[in-house]
Amino acid sequence: MKNFLFHLTFLGLSMAAVFSCTNPIDTGSGLLDEDLVNVQNVDTFKITSATVPGDSLLVFSIPTAASSGFLSRYFFGKLDDPIFGLTDALIQTQFVPVVQSHPGLDIKVDSLVLVLPYSTSSIYSDKAQRYDMEIRELADSFALDQNYFSNQRLPAKSSVIYSKSFVSSFDSIKINDFSSGVKTETKVPPQLRIRFDDMSTFATQLLKIDTSVYRSRVKFLKSIYGLQINASNTGKGLTAFDLTASRAGLYLYYQTASSLAQEFRYAFGFVGASSITRDRGTSLLGKYLNAEPNQEYVLIQGQEGSAGRFSIPGVKNLKNVIINKAELVLKVAEVEGDNPSFFTPSPRLLAMYRNDKGNLQVVQDFNIASQSAEIDQIYNGVYTAGKNNEPGTYTIILTAHVQDMIAGKVPTDILLKAFPLAESAARTTLYRADHPVHGAKLKLYYTQLNQ
């Protein structure tokens, strides 16, 4: 809280100073750091850039009173990107009975339906992509006392429980709802409903579990490990599901001995995790990560894909200044062979840095913006489409972070990632920092203190 109040006060005083004693600086025009020695009050820095590998990301955290540990969206599919290579995103999750009692020993099973509500705003690239889904049982259980990361894939049984081909839907649908004990036609948001046509074996497996096991979710999870859901075909899109939606889960529809129609729901929990693998092959990103020289672009890929590193070492040469505003301006490139109608840029970029222990941290400006709920005004980082054939732009406000750079509190390297970290399928292609026309610019507005 002390840090937060300090930076709010600092920003307020700094903005007031903009109108009295400020100098605008456009940095990035190519002067070397040593050229700064005899320059007073006007500073031009060399900015360098590179594409670097991403880090594996936390996709499930141990639940707390404040958080279920689940992501808000889970991507699914095999996406073949002409610039970034192949992404294979699958879902692995447990399910548990919502009501801790057995559905009944003398029931007549009608069907078993897996319900996966779409996160429609998160579906990426080709919205008309057809997916061939395969569903398997996990061969081992999740550990209930550990976090899971995007590079972890649990073993699954070889046999496919069920397979289905589908296209993502953006329309609400009508279903028969039996939750109240009476059949009710209900309109629900877009969702994929997978009716297991011949699921007597799996349904029987669920019903054979002892009543006492249903009363203990831990025991239930040791009896049924969960599901792994993957795509067997490759395409140009990734769909997205919300496993935390109120209607997500596995539904057993049945009739009681008195012919009363009922439903029994198994919800996703206690653990759900994305598993993401990449095959960059001979793609442009693959070449860049293999240190190909003369890299024309900076390639940023969502989740743990890749990041852009921008270095501004000369900023340390600024002395006795207060940074009133610092803006890093980046231009989006259209790479030859790309398909910009499918592969749209990330809506926002997140600026990070590595602390002295090597751990990734978000910049102070983003922290301040998040706490004040004014992220666009204090941090920004939003993609803005270009006009009149000009490239699109990201403008990232780094006022507090540049001040920390000058003070030596943080390194002069900034890492840019797609936002949100574990929940973005988007990617961005930027011009390299020293591009002669569309290079990166750091615009500074500062106050020179008396020496």
Side-chain angles (χ1 to χ4, degrees):
M1 178 59 73
K2 185 176 179 182
N3 258 350
F4 172 54
L5 291 175
F6 165 78
H7 280 284
L8 281 183
T9 304
F10 166 75
L11 284 176
L13 291 173
S14 298
M15 290 307 295
V18 168
F19 301 99
S20 57
C21 184
T22 61
N23 293 303
I25 310 169
D26 268 354
T27 68
S29 61
L31 292 183
L32 299 178
D33 297 340
E34 53 266 27
D35 295 327
L36 294 173
V37 175
N38 297 315
V39 177
Q40 297 179 358
N41 297 331
V42 177
D43 302 280
T44 305
F45 308 116
K46 179 181 179 181
I47 303 178
T48 62
S49 60
T51 300
V52 296
D55 298 78
S56 62
L57 295 174
L58 186 68
V59 293
F60 178 82
S61 56
I62 298 171
T64 64
S67 171
S68 68
F70 278 70
L71 301 177
S72 64
R73 70 207 76 167
Y74 288 80
F75 291 102
F76 172 84
K78 287 184 180 178
L79 182 148
D80 186 16
D81 186 317
I83 307 301
F84 287 73
L86 182 68
T87 295
D88 184 1
L90 61 81
I91 299 168
Q92 40 199 14
T93 184
Q94 297 170 320
F95 56 90
V96 293
V98 172
V99 180
Q100 288 179 259
S101 62
H102 198 283
L105 300 175
D106 300 317
I107 63 175
K108 180 181 179 182
V109 176
D110 174 72
S111 61
L112 195 64
V113 178
L114 180 65
V115 177
L116 299 171
Y118 287 104
S119 177
T120 53
S121 62
S122 304
I123 295 172
Y124 187 68
S125 194
D126 185 0
K127 304 298 191 292
Q129 170 67 41
R130 178 169 291 279
Y131 301 90
D132 295 335
M133 175 182 281
E134 293 181 341
I135 304 171
R136 293 176 173 83
E137 283 188 77
L138 291 174
D140 198 0
S141 62
F142 283 93
L144 300 181
D145 58 352
Q146 75 174 54
N147 297 328
Y148 283 88
F149 293 83
S150 55
N151 61 349
Q152 291 178 268
R153 180 172 295 196
L154 294 181
K157 297 179 181 179
S158 58
S159 59
V160 177
I161 293 177
Y162 194 74
S163 59
K164 179 181 177 67
S165 183
F166 70 95
V167 174
S168 303
S169 173
F170 296 83
D171 300 320
S172 57
I173 60 174
K174 290 181 179 180
I175 65 168
N176 291 325
D177 185 0
F178 298 93
S179 59
S180 65
V182 179
K183 178 181 176 180
T184 305
E185 188 174 72
T186 304
K187 193 173 185 179
V188 295
Q191 56 185 239
L192 177 64
R193 297 179 66 86
I194 302 170
R195 180 188 175 102
F196 298 96
D197 299 323
D198 184 16
M199 277 301 297
S200 58
T201 301
F202 193 53
T204 301
Q205 183 181 347
L206 287 173
L207 295 174
K208 278 186 175 180
I209 297 174
D210 191 81
T211 301
S212 63
V213 174
Y214 269 79
R215 289 197 293 265
S216 168
R217 287 179 174 170
V218 173
K219 289 182 180 179
F220 184 89
L221 294 172
K222 291 181 179 179
S223 299
I224 300 288
Y225 296 145
L227 300 175
Q228 188 179 87
I229 308 170
N230 72 286
S232 60
N233 68 316
T234 301
K236 295 296 183 185
L238 290 177
T239 194
F241 299 109
D242 180 2
L243 302 189
T244 65
S246 60
R247 290 186 176 272
L250 187 66
Y251 286 76
L252 182 70
Y253 293 98
Y254 63 95
Q255 290 183 350
T256 64
S258 59
S259 299
L260 182 66
Q262 296 283 298
E263 68 181 38
F264 188 90
R265 179 179 169 225
Y266 304 84
F268 296 119
F270 292 82
V271 182
S274 295
S275 177
I276 301 167
T277 56
R278 312 277 186 181
D279 183 0
R280 297 174 175 116
T282 58
S283 69
L284 190 62
L285 177 58
K287 294 176 181 178
Y288 279 15
L289 295 181
N290 284 325
E292 178 180 282
N294 304 318
Q295 298 179 14
E296 295 185 55
Y297 309 102
V298 179
L299 306 180
I300 300 172
Q301 188 175 34
Q303 298 154 330
E304 82 308 329
S306 61
R309 185 179 65 213
F310 288 77
S311 303
I312 321 169
V315 77
K316 293 185 297 185
N317 294 332
L318 277 174
K319 304 295 182 183
N320 298 313
V321 299
I322 292 178
I323 304 300
N324 300 310
K325 191 172 185 178
E327 294 179 326
L328 180 64
V329 181
L330 308 161
K331 297 295 183 179
V332 175
E334 188 169 318
V335 182
E336 184 179 356
D338 202 358
N339 189 337
S341 62
F342 279 171
F343 303 104
T344 54
S346 174
R348 192 188 299 270
L349 293 181
L350 179 62
M352 308 186 76
Y353 68 97
R354 292 194 185 277
N355 63 17
D356 53 7
K357 295 181 180 179
N359 297 324
L360 279 174
Q361 305 286 324
V362 297
V363 297
Q364 187 72 289
D365 301 85
F366 185 85
N367 272 334
I368 296 170
S370 299
Q371 295 179 63
S372 66
E374 294 183 354
I375 191 168
D376 290 345
Q377 291 75 26
I378 296 177
Y379 172 79
N380 198 351
V382 174
Y383 172 70
T384 302
K387 297 180 180 179
N388 302 320
N389 295 321
E390 287 294 313
T393 302
Y394 290 94
T395 300
I396 304 173
I397 302 173
L398 297 171
T399 306
H401 191 70
V402 169
Q403 191 77 59
D404 285 345
M405 281 183 176
I406 295 170
K409 296 179 181 179
V410 298
T412 55
D413 286 357
I414 298 171
L415 290 173
L416 298 182
K417 292 174 169 284
F419 178 82
L421 287 178
E423 301 180 40
S424 173
R427 44 75 148 187
T428 295
T429 54
L430 299 173
Y431 285 102
R432 69 179 190 269
D434 63 347
H435 188 276
V437 179
H438 301 302
K441 300 285 184 181
L442 182 66
K443 296 182 178 180
L444 297 183
Y445 300 84
Y446 73 98
T447 300
Q448 182 70 58
L449 300 177
N450 293 328
Q451 303 194 17

